[in-house]
Amino acid sequence: MIFESINFLSVQMNQYFRNKFHINEDVVIVSDLINQDGSIAIKGENKVIISLINIEHNLTLKNNVRLKYGQILGEDNKTDLNFSLLFSCYFPNNNYGESLKFISYVTNYLQSNYLFSNKNSIDMPPEIDEITLTMLNYNLEELSNLWRTLGAKYMPSVVYKLNVSSSN
């Protein structure tokens, strides 16, 4: 479910960029920023990178019990996970302005398209019921710690919580 939901989002975002700029190549990729040996993991330049930085179990829906006429039918077998995703704009060679433009396009897209379900997305993976996105606010210290932990130099970026709901 992790790969399927993040890959689905990257496909949707690439379609957005293809339509917006009339291009054929993928701008959005799912990748680490840095390899284990410290080298740059990104293949190519001028990319928006989606990196998974955290996984949490959403406990707010844990132990939901289905009732019918006051009788317990059983527990819901719903899986509800939160993924923290880092969207980074990698535009080297003094293309900082392009990085800023693309991080704006990313946030505009994600703020406008924050809910995906089988009802509004025909390409939704069948094992996923719903995906919702919420921007997370990081202060300067948290952001500095994140980039230090990743072992990378800062790039224009934003972090979103991707909530994935799935019935088993």
Side-chain angles (χ1 to χ4, degrees), residues 99-155:
S99 292
L100 296 178
K101 287 179 190 175
F102 271 81
I103 201 64
S104 293
Y105 298 140
V106 167
T107 56
N108 287 340
Y109 176 80
L110 296 174
Q111 292 298 104
S112 300
N113 300 279
Y114 57 88
L115 174 65
F116 297 95
S117 70
N118 345 28
K119 295 176 182 137
N120 68 8
S121 302
I122 58 171
D123 299 338
M124 177 72 85
E127 63 273 14
I128 298 173
D129 295 333
E130 186 175 272
I131 292 174
T132 56
L133 290 140
T134 307
M135 184 187 289
L136 298 178
N137 296 317
Y138 276 50
N139 65 38
L140 191 56
E141 184 179 343
E142 292 169 325
L143 199 57
S144 177
N145 288 339
L146 172 64
W147 283 94
R148 190 175 322 115
T149 300
L150 294 173
K153 300 290 184 187
Y154 177 78
M155 295 177 240

Side-chain angles (χ1 to χ4, degrees), residues 8-71:
F8 168 79
L9 183 59
S10 73
V11 168
Q12 298 301 307
M13 292 180 73
N14 274 314
Q15 188 61 46
Y16 163 76
F17 282 116
R18 277 191 209 98
N19 292 339
K20 184 167 187 60
F21 297 111
H22 309 289
I23 57 175
N24 294 323
E25 69 182 83
D26 285 346
V27 175
V28 180
I29 60 171
V30 179
S31 175
D32 284 332
L33 297 173
I34 303 294
N35 290 319
Q36 293 297 318
D37 65 5
S39 62
I40 295 174
I42 304 158
K43 293 179 176 53
E45 295 182 347
N46 304 330
K47 301 289 183 189
V48 174
I49 302 104
I50 303 175
S51 303
L52 176 66
I53 58 173
N54 194 28
I55 302 171
E56 298 175 338
H57 187 239
N58 189 349
L59 297 176
T60 58
L61 296 177
K62 187 73 177 157
N63 296 327
N64 280 350
V65 176
R66 292 182 286 143
L67 299 174
K68 184 173 182 181
Y69 307 115
Q71 302 231 354

